[in-house]
Amino acid sequence: MIARYTRPAMGKIWSDENKYRSWLTVEAAASQALARFGLVPQAAADAIRDKGNFTVARIDEIEAEVRHDVIAFTTTVAEHIGNPEHSRWLHYGLTSTDVVDTAQALQIKEASALIRKGIVALAHTLKRRSIEYKHTPIIGRTHGVHAEPSTFGLKLLLWYAEVQRNLTRFDAAAEDLRIGKLSGAVGTFGHLKPEHEEAICSGLGLKPVPIATQVIQRDLHAAYICALAVLASTLDKIATEVRHLQRTEVREAEEFFSEKQKGSSAMPHKRNPITSEQISGLARVMRANAQVALENVALWHERDISHSSAERVILPDSTILADYLLAKTENLIAKLLVYPERMLKNLESTGGLIFSGQLLLDLAESGMSREDAYRLVQSHAMRSWKESLNFREEVAKDPAITARLAPEKLAHAFDYNRQLANVDAIFSRVLG
């Protein structure tokens, strides 16, 4: 991922230095565990742990010649160990993917901790701001058209609930990838035993995968990337709504705009939702990566490397983008400028048309057939639309309505607080 979208802590996890450091961590843990089983001399295991080292430049130099990154790595580490009687026990009983897949699990574990922190931070901010605007009226829109009253707090609370579901999905996918495998070239433990794998994984804070070929099966990785893609889609959903609310014709909320910020090189008045648009754009990359992850599930026989090259892109990029987008979205919501007066103005802009459903119910309750009530209310609504009339004033002139609804009853039909009486109950459902 390009530096523009990479936060330092996450970027460090996917650096070559940390990748090879993770490989070395696996090699050292394997040597120590195998020494306890008497398969590797303890002195050799200690030398691998204490003297084993590398430089990325030296690995790159050797790989340019041998065209195999793990061999280049083990050769470099052996050079640092020095003593051939010790270095010959490096990588004992292992195949390349034993190290690569297990070390990758360590990197994913690190990355997941940062992503989880970001999800929790976003959820906290959404919860706080939803309570802040719990009873702030706003028009609810369906198909982009004014429907019935809602509150801005409910909009934020809905996002909070969805982020909580994302956290549950992400935790499960991340836990499923907290696994290692050291079962050999086709997963049969041809050189080591299951108890050896269990001991090595235990030392690394991982679980041994119950069964593998040469590789850990990629349905697990696909589920992880898909969980990130769903998370990104939620962030896209939030950003898209902010973009709509910031439109000049709506202007019920907008992104924070600093004093020194510029919106356009040509139009000084512009205040554009650039953060929200960036979130929506990068979410597309995340969803595209999920497709690649799904393609990686089907491999030839006990292993091919068609997934490997793709994962070198999608695993770093997806976790880096998730980390970046979570921080961007949390900041977006934390600093979001909210305009309750404009919300109320927009809610009232149709002259009461949004209460047609309540009026319909009140007329039916008064004894009018639903069909007649619908026909009567709709005729006033359509006329109000076409002629830009005040719907509330028009129905108050109709004797067919006033004969059934007294003035106070008619006024009650146009009271948005009546339709928002259960907001607290919804909040209690979500927040407990």
Side-chain angles (χ1 to χ4, degrees):
M1 180 50 59
I2 63 174
R4 184 182 184 92
Y5 307 127
T6 304
R7 302 204 317 152
M10 184 63 83
K12 184 178 179 181
I13 291 171
W14 296 107
S15 66
D16 284 345
E17 172 70 30
N18 191 60
K19 178 182 73 172
Y20 294 132
R21 189 65 57 191
S22 299
W23 289 10
L24 187 55
T25 297
V26 173
E27 294 281 8
S31 296
Q32 287 294 322
L34 295 179
R36 290 194 296 273
F37 283 99
L39 297 180
V40 170
Q42 187 64 55
D46 291 345
I48 292 168
R49 180 193 62 199
D50 299 336
K51 296 181 179 180
N53 211 337
F54 62 87
T55 66
V56 175
R58 179 58 176 153
I59 293 173
D60 290 345
E61 180 184 4
I62 297 172
E63 186 182 359
E65 180 179 332
V66 301
R67 297 178 60 81
H68 195 292
D69 55 355
V70 176
I71 292 175
F73 164 78
T74 56
T75 301
T76 303
V77 173
E79 290 174 350
H80 281 81
I81 294 170
N83 187 339
E85 287 302 310
H86 293 158
S87 63
R88 67 190 177 93
W89 295 100
L90 175 68
H91 204 65
Y92 181 80
L94 306 180
T95 192
S96 297
T97 307
D98 288 336
V99 176
V100 172
D101 267 9
T102 304
Q104 183 173 266
L106 296 179
Q107 290 177 277
I108 291 172
K109 182 180 176 183
E110 286 185 84
S112 295
L114 293 181
I115 292 170
R116 190 181 202 282
K117 184 178 179 181
I119 297 174
V120 171
L122 174 59
H124 175 77
T125 298
L126 285 168
K127 178 180 178 181
R128 174 176 61 82
R129 301 223 70 182
S130 72
I131 293 171
E132 180 182 357
Y133 294 104
K134 179 192 288 190
H135 294 296
T136 301
I138 189 173
I139 184 62
R141 298 172 172 91
T142 59
H143 307 278
V145 179
H146 286 205
E148 292 188 346
S150 183
T151 77
F152 191 59
L154 286 175
K155 193 182 293 287
L156 293 159
L157 185 70
L158 182 98
W159 297 341
Y160 166 81
E162 189 164 331
V163 168
Q164 289 294 96
R165 293 195 296 275
N166 273 285
L167 179 60
T168 299
R169 281 188 291 265
F170 177 74
D171 279 346
E175 178 61 22
D176 282 346
L177 273 183
R178 193 175 61 84
I179 51 175
K181 66 83 59 183
L182 300 105
S183 52
V186 291
T188 58
F189 293 99
H191 307 288
L192 300 180
K193 296 180 179 179
E195 53 264 37
H196 302 151
E197 180 186 65
E198 291 166 8
I200 296 167
C201 287
S202 177
L204 294 168
L206 303 175
K207 305 168 295 182
V209 65
I211 184 171
T213 57
Q214 188 176 113
V215 298
I216 294 172
Q217 299 306 287
R218 261 42 196 180
D219 63 295
L220 297 164
H221 302 73
Y224 182 84
I225 298 296
C226 284
L228 292 181
V230 174
L231 171 63
S233 295
T234 294
L235 305 184
D236 184 9
K237 172 183 184 173
I238 293 171
T240 298
E241 183 68 12
V242 171
R243 290 164 66 190
H244 280 304
L245 295 178
Q246 188 164 336
R247 285 181 299 141
T248 306
E249 297 81 359
V250 179
R251 203 160 180 265
E252 294 174 351
E254 67 176 339
E255 293 182 7
F256 175 78
F257 195 88
S258 71
E259 291 182 2
K260 295 183 179 181
Q261 189 172 339
K262 309 296 182 186
S264 167
S265 63
M267 297 170 284
H269 73 279
K270 293 299 290 295
R271 292 163 66 98
N272 301 327
I274 57 172
T275 296
S276 297
E277 290 171 343
Q278 185 187 71
I279 292 167
S280 291
L282 292 176
R284 298 167 188 168
V285 178
M286 298 279 282
R287 289 191 288 268
N289 286 351
Q291 180 62 42
V292 177
L294 293 168
E295 296 289 343
N296 281 349
V297 174
L299 302 178
W300 285 19
H301 304 302
E302 279 61 56
R303 195 246 172 131
D304 66 62
I305 63 167
S306 60
H307 69 289
S308 178
S309 55
E311 281 183 359
R312 290 174 192 260
V313 176
I314 65 171
L315 279 174
D317 281 9
S318 294
T319 51
I320 287 170
L321 281 179
D323 178 59
Y324 178 82
L325 292 176
L326 282 164
K328 279 289 184 180
T329 308
E330 192 279 328
N331 187 65
L332 171 70
I333 298 301
K335 294 183 176 180
L336 190 68
L337 302 176
V338 180
Y339 304 120
E341 296 84 4
R342 183 61 178 250
M343 291 177 179
L344 187 59
K345 182 179 179 180
N346 287 345
L347 187 150
E348 296 174 344
S349 65
T350 59
L353 274 172
I354 59 174
F355 297 100
S356 67
Q358 187 61 60
L359 181 60
L360 165 66
L361 293 177
D362 289 352
L363 286 172
E365 185 181 338
S366 75
M368 185 180 289
S369 74
R370 180 179 175 83
E371 291 73 17
D372 289 343
Y374 194 103
R375 190 180 304 110
L376 179 61
V377 173
Q378 188 185 41
S379 67
H380 281 292
M382 294 302 102
R383 182 166 171 260
S384 296
W385 272 121
K386 293 176 181 178
E387 300 179 24
S388 298
L389 302 174
N390 186 294
F391 176 74
R392 180 172 180 173
E393 294 176 359
E394 291 303 307
V395 298
K397 301 174 186 176
D398 189 334
I401 294 176
T402 56
R404 292 180 173 276
L405 301 178
E408 63 274 10
K409 181 70 173 177
L410 186 58
H412 193 41
F414 290 86
D415 182 3
Y416 62 77
N417 288 310
R418 179 183 181 186
Q419 295 191 12
L420 300 177
N422 292 307
V423 170
D424 285 332
I426 299 171
F427 268 77
S428 295
R429 273 185 169 186
V430 176
L431 301 182

